[in-house]
Amino acid sequence: MIGSIPGITTASTATLAAFGLISCSGWADGPDGSAAVRAAAAVTGGTVPKPVWRPCTGLPAPDQGVSQARYRCATLRVPLDHADPSSGTIGIALMKIPAKGPGRRIGSLLFNFGGPGGDGVDTLAQAAPQYATLNARYDLVGFDPRGVGRSAPVTCVDDRTMDQIAAEDDTPDTPAEETAYLARRASYARACEARSGRLLPHVGTLSAARDLDAIREAVGDPKLNYFGISYGTWLGGNYAHQFPGGVGRAVLDGAVDTRLNTADLGLQQAAGFQRALVDFGAACAKLGAKSCPLGGDGESVAAATGKILASLDRKPLKTSGGRKLTQSLGDTGAAAALYSKQAWPYLAQGLVDAVKRHDGTLLLMLADLQNGRKSSGAYANLTAANTAITCADGSDRYTVADVRRLMPAFRKASPVFGPSMAWGLLQCTGWPVKGDDAAREVSAPDAAPILVVGNTGDPATPYAWASALVKSLGGSAALLTLKGEGHGAYDTGDPCVRRVVDSYLLDGLLPAAGATCG
């Protein structure tokens, strides 16, 4: 994500639609005491306890005509520390949509929709119709990774404080602003340690991959069938490295190049968002000056967008709800709309509203969507989980001097989004957990063939990362390319991508080398 939540992003159109944490009775739980120790002993004794599936409660309301009657929910207990059974257990929230036929049931298909910090239960509940073809022969299974949503969530600050953090300046221009920015970062890290200190060392990808294998065993599958998007490709790749013999059919869509350090990830992501902004601008300009009074081509619209967002630093805009649209919120809202081509009209209208009506309501709604804020003012724990997992997954720790040194490169990569992403390099500075670079390892030459999918117009996980992940995985990993726009490929709805991916997951057929859609 960019702006107030730096990192890899929540993944898809589906994720953007399914934001906000809706409580589900009996699911949200953290590390417990003696009973958990006994349960952990049972887990590590070689048998993962079977989840007890019950009708779900508290899921997001479905679209009209969609029934959730078949949905089932459960909690799977896993060790807090997989290396230490005496650490107790945490609960991993699961949601299952049983295979409906026709055809022979293959097994379960586990989803991770991205993040890090994105939930899987609510997202699958809302996105399930997109995977109806796969649901014929797979039980679709969503889960909230450890530290996320209902699975022992990392907590740091209250909702009012989150409003302040999301709105405050994340591109400091003066010494006073810089001091305030650094103080806010340090205060946030202290709050996370105070509220979730025992959990923080155990929420990274290394532990989440082991949870994946526990879920695989719990649902009774000999191999893990998996669909990972964005950060979910990182998690899936690390699973393949740790458990190469456990890989069944795996799709990694919107790939991350885990070999890159945090600065290079950020630089390439900044360039990706800038490219997407120019592409949006070109589409907007084609509508004509009446519908898009921002410029006559992609570059001019992108430049105008940058000026509009930069002006918010001096003069935030009013919104219908009474909150102000600040520069950081404006940047986040604009970036949110670049995840999906379907959201481009909302960005265009939001920019026009800002210029002509001095109204930031629509851009603020987009920012809230990206930040996991519901209309009620309640936040999902997306920011907290994103930071905790990101900082657990690597040892990179940057200084203000690093930010200043790298700022010209970030500005060159994206005049609009680069500065906030450069300052975002300080996300893990002062974090109480050191981080483990082993989480970046995804080599799995002995695993079953894995299908990696990349979108040439992807802003958040640039296309080059897809071929890099294929190389890192090794073995028989294959690449499918979509010449399109937006984050990820399958959720764009492209019929060619869906046909190829479905054929692989349902029939085990990999595409030919160089396969391209669009």
Side-chain angles (χ1 to χ4, degrees):
M1 299 171 144
I2 75 164
S4 60
I5 313 175
I8 297 300
T9 76
T10 52
S12 60
T13 304
T15 310
L16 290 175
F19 76 106
L21 179 64
I22 299 179
S23 63
C24 189
S25 177
W27 277 5
D29 58 337
D32 57 11
S34 58
V37 174
R38 292 193 296 272
V43 171
T44 56
T47 302
V48 175
K50 299 296 183 183
V52 178
W53 298 99
R54 297 186 174 92
C56 298
T57 59
L59 294 177
D63 291 337
Q64 188 174 5
V66 176
S67 171
Q68 296 179 337
R70 295 189 303 119
Y71 297 7
R72 294 293 180 268
C73 292
T75 298
L76 176 68
R77 301 213 67 84
V78 298
L80 169 65
D81 182 350
H82 283 276
D84 179 11
S86 66
S87 62
T89 66
I90 56 176
I92 303 297
L94 307 175
M95 194 274 280
K96 175 176 70 173
I97 307 175
K100 62 184 179 180
R104 175 184 55 84
R105 178 183 176 276
I106 296 172
S108 297
L109 181 63
L110 273 65
F111 287 82
N112 182 284
F113 295 96
D119 69 73
V121 171
D122 285 358
T123 301
L124 180 58
Q126 291 195 310
Q130 297 192 46
Y131 307 103
T133 300
L134 299 172
N135 194 202
R137 297 180 60 196
Y138 282 103
D139 296 344
L140 306 183
V141 177
F143 69 101
D144 290 354
R146 55 173 55 212
V148 177
R150 303 179 176 98
S151 297
V154 174
T155 58
C156 296
V157 298
D158 60 26
D159 293 332
R160 178 172 294 185
T161 304
M162 269 305 305
D163 269 345
Q164 296 170 353
I165 290 172
E168 287 175 344
D169 193 350
D170 61 2
T171 54
D173 305 309
T174 67
E177 289 180 351
E178 184 177 301
T179 297
Y181 179 86
L182 297 175
R184 187 167 72 249
R185 287 278 186 191
S187 176
Y188 187 77
R190 289 193 300 270
C192 294
E193 184 176 23
R195 291 193 177 195
S196 302
R198 184 171 175 238
L199 185 62
L200 296 182
H202 306 294
V203 297
T205 296
L206 288 170
S207 296
R210 291 163 189 155
D211 294 341
L212 270 180
D213 203 54
I215 298 171
R216 174 201 60 75
E217 184 177 343
V219 298
D221 284 358
K223 303 281 187 178
L224 176 70
N225 301 308
Y226 178 78
F227 200 134
I229 305 170
S230 195
Y231 162 75
T233 68
W234 185 328
L235 175 59
N238 187 259
Y239 175 87
H241 175 71
Q242 292 194 57
F243 304 95
V247 176
R249 297 173 186 173
V251 172
L252 305 181
D253 183 2
V256 180
D257 183 358
T258 64
R259 301 173 303 174
L260 297 175
N261 63 34
T262 303
D264 287 337
L265 282 168
L267 276 168
Q268 293 185 27
Q269 195 178 44
F273 274 100
Q274 188 69 27
R275 284 194 301 271
L277 181 62
V278 172
D279 290 347
F280 152 77
C284 186
K286 287 181 180 179
L287 299 177
K290 184 175 182 180
S291 298
C292 183
L294 302 169
D297 56 33
E299 292 287 352
S300 61
V301 172
T305 300
K307 290 179 181 179
I308 294 168
L309 298 176
S311 71
L312 299 174
D313 190 30
R314 301 183 304 275
K315 188 176 181 181
L317 292 179
K318 64 178 177 61
T319 69
S320 61
R323 296 157 60 212
K324 296 287 189 179
L325 180 75
T326 63
Q327 182 182 15
S328 60
L329 287 168
D331 287 354
T332 301
L338 297 176
Y339 280 75
S340 169
K341 194 173 182 179
Q342 295 173 347
W344 286 5
Y346 298 100
L347 175 57
Q349 187 62 54
L351 293 169
V352 171
D353 287 350
V355 172
K356 290 192 170 183
R357 301 178 180 84
H358 306 291
D359 184 353
T361 300
L362 189 49
L363 288 175
L364 181 61
M365 289 174 62
L366 290 167
D368 286 348
L369 185 71
Q370 186 74 351
N371 287 336
R373 186 188 192 273
K374 296 195 297 182
S375 59
S376 65
Y379 281 83
N381 80 317
L382 177 59
T383 301
N386 178 278
T387 302
I389 297 168
T390 298
C391 298
D393 278 357
S395 61
D396 293 343
R397 299 295 185 264
Y398 293 88
T399 65
V400 173
D402 292 326
V403 172
R404 290 173 177 154
R405 174 176 57 84
L406 292 166
M407 184 61 76
F410 272 87
R411 287 188 184 277
K412 182 178 180 180
S414 176
V416 177
F417 304 113
S420 63
M421 296 182 76
W423 282 104
L425 294 176
L426 300 180
Q427 180 183 23
C428 298
T429 301
W431 191 252
V433 175
K434 182 179 179 181
D436 191 340
D437 290 322
R440 297 178 180 271
E441 183 56 70
V442 297
S443 62
D446 298 325
I450 294 171
L451 178 58
V452 178
V453 189
N455 187 343
T456 58
D458 195 318
T461 52
Y463 174 71
W465 293 1
S467 56
L469 181 58
V470 169
K471 184 177 180 179
S472 294
L473 288 166
S476 302
L479 175 64
L480 171 65
T481 298
L482 170 65
K483 294 182 178 180
E485 298 286 352
H487 184 32
Y490 193 90
D491 285 346
T492 67
D494 181 85
C496 171
V497 169
R498 294 209 166 180
R499 183 173 62 253
V500 174
V501 171
D502 291 351
S503 179
Y504 165 66
L505 287 173
L506 294 172
D507 302 314
L509 300 176
L510 281 171
T516 301
C517 293

